[in-house]
Amino acid sequence: MGLLLIIAVIVGITFLTCYNRIIGRHNRAQRAWADVLVYERQKTRVLDLLEQQVAGFKEYESTLLEKITGLRSAIGKLPQEANGDALQPVQKGTRELLAGLTVAFEAYPELKANELVNNFMREITEQQENVGAAITIFNGAVEVFNNSIQMFPNSFVNGCLNKKSVIVPFSDSQASAAFEYKPNF
Amino acid sequence: MSSILHNKKLRQLIEQSDARVEAATSAADLLEVIKQLSAFGAPLEFDNATPRLFRNIGFGFVAATVLFVPFVVLGIAFLLGGWLVMDHRSGVIDALSKKIIHKSSMLAYGLRASYSPDVQVLESLGGEFKDFHRGSYSRQILKSVQGTYLGAVHELPFTYQHLQYVDRESYKTTVPDGVGGTKVETKTVDREFARYSLVLDFPWVENVVVRGDTHVGVDLEETLDTASSEFNSAFHLTGITQMACAVFAKPATVLHLLQLAQQLSDVNLEFSEHGRLCLSFSDAGLLAPNATEGIRNLPAFEPLVETGIRLPRLDFLLSWVHRLAEFHDDNFALSPKPLKNMEY
């Protein structure tokens, strides 16, 4: 009887530990995703200010403004729930905008000479760097969480109690398309 | 040239070169020394024929000990004598190479070194940074080097310090009293350790501490865990408020700090309330040069001295700090200006 009681206590503690661990890791992944959203949305504030500056240069207003509007719209559509796939249009939009700005800079020296526009470029590049870092941290948190619900005994506890699903990490399909090598997983 | 004359001239040349390196104030002065060494007209190696003969005789005597025991003493004397003379001569040449390398790197980086600086300097640093509150028995700055890093955006004047701390611990132990009983004695153990720190103006962050070692005394009131488990296990982030920590722990900064943790051990970053940073760690060799050549290979050595011997670890750390400054500076400050001069 005593032995059964001890075994029951050990099993109970193990269940509780696994349950809490899964919750903690899920929350950390959600927080990492929230960081991605925060930095993406901070980027839209810089875009608003950049838009005002670029609007002063009529010649390239249309193409750049179009890209800024497209990117802002893509950032606005990001879901609250962690999902790496949802980031793809935002990352694509950012790449296109930065490429467009670089082309405009090269083509029009007066734009390149505008110190304020340069500062906005630095700011937006830095924000993008933070977004990239936030995504790296998010992917790390997703890996830890996914491992915790797929490995035994956590997988068993998750199946019985937590019932959490695997989170999709962010992967850059455009970058991976450039590789000839495809990993077999 | 006879062996004795060659060795005498080489010794004189090394002594003269040593004095000229000591007095050198530019790379051109060092290159003059190298030219003088090149003009010697013979290999920069001592003619060790005599000591080598002594050593071989020594081996012979030692081998002969099987036949005659007194040869042992004579053999060892010849062997040691020959070996000591050759070792000393080799050391003289290597020492001159090291001196030129050291001077070249100091000149290339515009560094100024001072040894055993005033005690007040350490007291002043300790007043601003808790990282210097180590060593329960003693603490001392062994070497201090000052310089300025000219980054693309900011000029960063810095002071690098090599510190030595001693922790004294007492404990009680039971020992025999000599009359069949035991008695309790108090024993004292000193534990000596070194830390290295870089202190520089960093006006973009205040009242934040990132601790990567066990010196909990540096921690501030509020703690913040980041979203990165890897960062949380490598560092402990504290600040005067949680807001200060949150503003500091940008994702790019978090990854940047993890990169530093891979390069240095027991890293601490203490941002004081006066807008200055103390970056400390336990790895020696920040000022280790990357020169593999010396005056034994003058053709390869001369171009290295001409361009200035690099200090790769110092380059890495200063560019790392500059990047951190770029993450935290204001991109709309129109023309970044050099920071104020370091007081110590």
Side-chain angles (χ1 to χ4, degrees), chain A residues 28 31 115 123 126 129, chain B residues 225-226 323 326 331 334:
Chain A
R28 191 172 291 283
R31 183 183 161 189
E115 195 162 12
E123 184 70 20
E126 203 170 292
E129 215 161 332
Chain B
D225 268 1
T226 68
R323 192 80 188 109
E326 284 186 293
N331 288 329
L334 293 178

Side-chain angles (χ1 to χ4, degrees), chain A residues 103-117:
Chain A
V103 169
F105 263 46
E106 292 309 318
Y108 301 98
E110 68 271 35
L111 189 63
K112 198 173 185 176
N114 185 309
E115 195 162 12
L116 199 55
V117 176

Side-chain angles (χ1 to χ4, degrees), chain A residues 28-29 31-32 35 39 46 49 115-116 118-120 122-124 126 129-137 140-141 144, chain B residues 153-154 224-229 232 246 249-255 323 326-336:
Chain A
R28 191 172 291 283
R31 183 183 161 189
D35 280 353
Y39 282 94
V46 185
L49 296 167
E115 195 162 12
L116 199 55
N118 268 301
N119 291 339
F120 276 118
R122 276 190 68 197
E123 184 70 20
I124 206 164
E126 203 170 292
E129 215 161 332
N130 273 311
V131 169
I135 292 172
T136 305
I137 293 169
V144 172
Chain B
V153 182
H154 301 290
L224 185 83
D225 268 1
T226 68
S228 165
S229 318
N232 296 338
K250 295 176 187 180
T253 303
V254 166
L255 292 191
R323 192 80 188 109
E326 284 186 293
F327 286 148
H328 292 275
D329 63 359
D330 179 2
N331 288 329
F332 295 94
L334 293 178
S335 46

